[in-house]
Amino acid sequence: MGRAGTGGAARAAAVAGPPLLLLLLLLTRSPPATAGEHRKSVVGLVSEHFSQAPQKLSSYSWYGSIRLFHFRVPPDTVLLRWLLHVSWGSGTPCTDVEITVHFRHGAPPVVNPMGTSFPNNTIQQPSFQVRALLSSMLLDNTSVNVSHPAPGDWFVAAHLPPSSQKIEVQGFAPTCAYVFQPDMLVMRAMEVSILEPDVPLPQTLLSHPNYLKIFVPEYTQELLLELQGCVSSGSLGCPVRLTVGGATLPSNFQKVLTCTDPTLSCRLLLPSPPWGRWLQVTAESLAGPQVSVAFIAQAVLTACRPWSMTFQRLLRNSPNQSHDTSVGQLSPGPAHQGLGRSSGVGGGAFCLLSFPVMREDIDTVSVRFQPMDGISVLVRSDAPSLLRLRLDTGMDSGGSLTITLRVNKTEVSGDTLVVACVNAASAFLSFNTSLNCTTAFFQGYPLSLRASSPVANLIIPYPETSSWYLSLQLLCPESPGVCEQAMVHVETVLYLVPCLNDCGPYGQCLLLRRYSYLYAGCSCKAGWRGWSCTDNSTAQTVAQQKVAALLLTLSNLMFLVPIMLSVQRAFLVEASVYFYTMFFSTVLFLLGTLVIAMSLQLDRRGIWNMMGPCLFAFMIMAFMWVQRCRHRHQCYPTSWQRWAFCLLPGISMASMGVAIYTSMMTSDNYYYTHSIWHILLAGSAAFLLPPREEQTEPWTCSQKFPCHYQICKNNQDELYTVT
């Protein structure tokens, strides 16, 4: 039946026999009579289960807040099912929030929950996403099914909605941990028939589908799938449906062919199918469960002969040429021999110009592509020029593919036009009939160069794992005869970079990791947003940034008041603490060596970073207050002026500062609220400082500042009495 491992005799018999005789022989085979035999056919499908460790979800602010999962779908998978598990951590029950899950084949999904703008000339391909409330996902696990998925890398990304930008102190506000874990279940076919080019393959359909696959060699221009002599045992017509290709997300380019007329051949023509890959074909019967359908499947490949533009030049310039005895026998075209038994392969004309490309790995997720003979590509009108960009290592999909094309204005004068297409898996070669850059299973990205626009740019974030192809051709729409002998040199700049322009002046390019998979993202600042920190819709002006920096820095100078008072009253330890707080709270905080400053860098909003020192200081003050009261046999202090002008204002300022710090700060007003926090904290310290403990000369009652008001007598026992 043409399955893997069949011998040449069976293949020869299939070719030699008349199609009608083969179909009659197939129909004479009785269908399964019992359900047990049907269950045996289901045994041809095996199930496999894959899972990864759960991750805690975060509110979306940039790509680093996404939780990414990387799976590999095995070949010959006929059904893929994602099971999405969500739970919350121990403690307070979580509020009902919406969880968004993105799916993509070949590369991480490009998401934009905040609706920010992308850089110019950037492909903005929307992701396939599923949104569900936490309550619904807790009651029943959400699942996503994909029939006949494409094998290879699949990525799942999940996140919570963007936060309200409110800055909360951990411990005061209830915290909630949302935990997400996807499971991948696959059903894989164990019996897959091999459909060879130009070899008829008889098939019989019963109640279950038949699975076929055909290998597509490189430089295949067209693939023709044809069903011949379709015969049904219990119904008229040809109740057969073919599904060709694997499903990909977010875009799905599967081809479905439904055959109904038995007198006409059922055909499907695929231009530029994926090169160097197995193409999945699923045949299903549309008749009843007890009806058998027989047909003959046949595939015809049309190959394209490439001409290597630098092959002979490389041979002439090779330093080891004298040691190669077979150089003189090589053909100038590296693919002069055919691609199997395809039509138009043996001695036809060349249909494309192939330029070998050197791949230079610069750094992690950083690659440069350059033609072997320089940076220019010769473009003609009689055949496309082709460059192959290998992004198939499995570690290239975490960056951005940038393509820049330049042409000399003098070479494209008049109506001369250079058109280009960027495609994955296979090249677009039909410039003479269409300019949509569409291949069998991929929608390419078009570019054009002319005298009025001699430069073209294209940015593809997170390109899928595959070989990418850049094809170019010269066109003269109004006067085709002008282009017959014309040639144009196009300069190419081809890079894979982690982040576009290193995220610009208002962003930082960060390398993220999920197990051994690396990908990059931009973390923006100063109100800038977007994929490459180019969205200035909420950006701060330079003046606003200067004001924010000055406020956060100069507001710490308020600590000079308690520092001077502490020095005046001989509280040197307190003065040192206030000086350290002021000094290390400015742009100088990186010089901090105190334990509190170090802990603040680990978690700036942790509750114990603030409450720990405060509670310790409060315990010391309470202990000393009790001691003073016991020593004087009266409540301390005894004067209403001290309470009215010192203690109550100091406590009020401290309470206001704590309230602002814990409940009012957001990312937008942080510069102002935190500066007010500095002022209130330093002001409260100035009001709450006690007076000098020892005096060499008594003070008078006419002192202006009431917080320093003392009744001092010559009796040494009354030096500590304060009003």
Side-chain angles (χ1 to χ4, degrees), residues 281-299:
V281 180
T282 302
E284 300 174 274
S285 174
L286 301 179
Q290 300 298 325
V291 178
S292 62
V293 180
F295 61 91
I296 295 178
Q298 187 171 358

Side-chain angles (χ1 to χ4, degrees), residues 613-633:
C614 292
L615 291 177
F616 183 71
F618 180 78
M619 292 173 60
I620 294 178
M621 289 191 298
F623 176 77
M624 295 303 299
W625 182 76
V626 173
Q627 288 293 99
R628 294 284 179 92
C629 293
R630 290 181 57 187
H631 179 71
R632 294 187 173 94
H633 302 288

Side-chain angles (χ1 to χ4, degrees), residues 320-330:
N320 299 326
Q321 182 177 355
S322 59
H323 302 283
D324 189 355
T325 59
S326 61
V327 170
Q329 301 176 357
L330 291 177

Side-chain angles (χ1 to χ4, degrees), residues 428-617:
F428 179 77
L429 304 175
S430 305
F431 288 102
N432 295 328
T433 59
S434 175
L435 298 178
N436 58 8
C437 296
T438 303
T439 58
F441 299 100
F442 191 83
Q443 174 58 57
Y445 310 116
L447 296 171
S448 62
L449 300 170
R450 62 188 71 199
S452 59
S453 56
V455 180
N457 296 284
L458 181 66
I459 303 170
I460 305 176
Y462 294 162
E464 65 180 65
T465 300
S466 180
S467 289
W468 287 74
Y469 296 90
L470 172 62
S471 52
L472 308 96
Q473 190 165 343
L474 185 64
L475 297 179
C476 297
E478 298 181 2
S479 54
V482 178
C483 290
E484 291 182 359
Q485 301 298 328
M487 293 185 296
V488 176
H489 292 83
V490 177
E491 180 183 347
T492 61
V493 180
L494 312 170
Y495 278 93
L496 176 70
V497 295
C499 303
L500 182 64
N501 296 328
D502 288 333
C503 302
Y506 297 101
Q508 182 180 8
C509 184
L510 299 177
L511 196 62
L512 310 173
R513 182 178 66 89
R514 175 59 178 168
Y515 296 133
S516 60
Y517 180 76
L518 300 176
Y519 59 105
C522 286
S523 177
C524 308
K525 58 184 178 182
W528 289 76
R529 306 186 305 170
W531 188 262
S532 300
C533 300
T534 56
D535 189 336
N536 61 352
S537 58
T538 60
Q540 298 176 351
T541 63
V542 177
Q544 289 176 329
Q545 297 178 45
K546 291 181 179 179
V547 170
L550 290 175
L551 281 176
L552 291 174
T553 303
L554 299 181
S555 60
N556 291 280
L557 297 180
M558 189 66 182
F559 280 96
L560 290 175
V561 177
I563 290 174
M564 291 187 295
L565 292 177
S566 300
V567 172
Q568 181 186 4
R569 302 175 190 181
F571 297 136
L572 300 182
V573 176
E574 288 80 357
S576 301
V577 171
Y578 297 148
F579 176 76
Y580 282 137
T581 303
M582 179 191 71
F583 185 80
F584 296 124
S585 184
T586 60
V587 294
L588 302 176
F589 74 96
L590 292 177
L591 304 177
T593 56
L594 296 178
V595 176
I596 296 178
M598 295 173 61
S599 63
L600 283 175
Q601 295 311 307
L602 295 176
D603 190 354
R604 296 180 63 89
R605 302 180 184 92
I607 181 174
W608 290 109
N609 290 337
M610 181 179 64
M611 294 300 297
C614 292
L615 291 177
F616 183 71

Side-chain angles (χ1 to χ4, degrees), residues 243-511:
T243 303
V244 184
T248 59
L249 297 177
S251 300
N252 185 13
F253 293 95
Q254 278 183 320
K255 300 296 187 294
V256 178
L257 176 64
T258 302
C259 304
T260 56
D261 194 342
T263 60
L264 300 178
S265 60
C266 194
R267 296 185 175 185
L268 178 62
L269 183 63
L270 301 176
S272 296
W275 293 352
R277 297 184 182 181
W278 288 96
L279 188 62
Q280 305 178 25
V281 180
T282 302
E284 300 174 274
S285 174
L286 301 179
Q290 300 298 325
V291 178
S292 62
V293 180
F295 61 91
I296 295 178
Q298 187 171 358
V300 179
L301 296 176
T302 302
C304 182
R305 294 187 64 196
W307 172 273
S308 181
M309 294 298 296
T310 59
F311 188 74
Q312 286 185 331
R313 184 181 306 175
L314 290 175
L315 293 180
R316 291 194 301 266
N317 297 336
S318 175
N320 299 326
Q321 182 177 355
S322 59
H323 302 283
D324 189 355
T325 59
S326 61
V327 170
Q329 301 176 357
L330 291 177
S331 170
H336 76 288
Q337 56 184 354
L339 302 175
R341 291 176 294 275
S342 304
S343 61
V345 177
F350 297 101
C351 64
L352 63 87
L353 308 177
S354 177
F355 288 81
V357 177
M358 177 185 66
R359 172 189 165 117
E360 180 184 0
D361 291 278
I362 301 175
D363 203 342
T364 305
V365 200
S366 182
V367 181
R368 179 175 65 179
F369 298 95
Q370 185 174 350
M372 293 291 291
D373 59 345
I375 61 175
S376 297
V377 176
L378 183 65
V379 180
R380 302 171 56 175
S381 62
D382 53 349
S385 299
L386 184 64
L387 287 81
R388 180 179 183 178
L389 312 179
R390 291 185 176 271
L391 296 175
D392 52 3
T393 64
M395 298 299 293
D396 302 325
S397 58
S400 295
L401 177 61
T402 62
I403 298 176
T404 301
L405 304 179
R406 297 187 182 93
V407 67
N408 194 337
K409 294 182 179 180
T410 59
E411 297 187 9
V412 288
S413 59
D415 67 332
T416 305
L417 176 68
V418 176
V419 292
C421 288
V422 181
N423 294 75
S426 61
F428 179 77
L429 304 175
S430 305
F431 288 102
N432 295 328
T433 59
S434 175
L435 298 178
N436 58 8
C437 296
T438 303
T439 58
F441 299 100
F442 191 83
Q443 174 58 57
Y445 310 116
L447 296 171
S448 62
L449 300 170
R450 62 188 71 199
S452 59
S453 56
V455 180
N457 296 284
L458 181 66
I459 303 170
I460 305 176
Y462 294 162
E464 65 180 65
T465 300
S466 180
S467 289
W468 287 74
Y469 296 90
L470 172 62
S471 52
L472 308 96
Q473 190 165 343
L474 185 64
L475 297 179
C476 297
E478 298 181 2
S479 54
V482 178
C483 290
E484 291 182 359
Q485 301 298 328
M487 293 185 296
V488 176
H489 292 83
V490 177
E491 180 183 347
T492 61
V493 180
L494 312 170
Y495 278 93
L496 176 70
V497 295
C499 303
L500 182 64
N501 296 328
D502 288 333
C503 302
Y506 297 101
Q508 182 180 8
C509 184
L510 299 177
L511 196 62

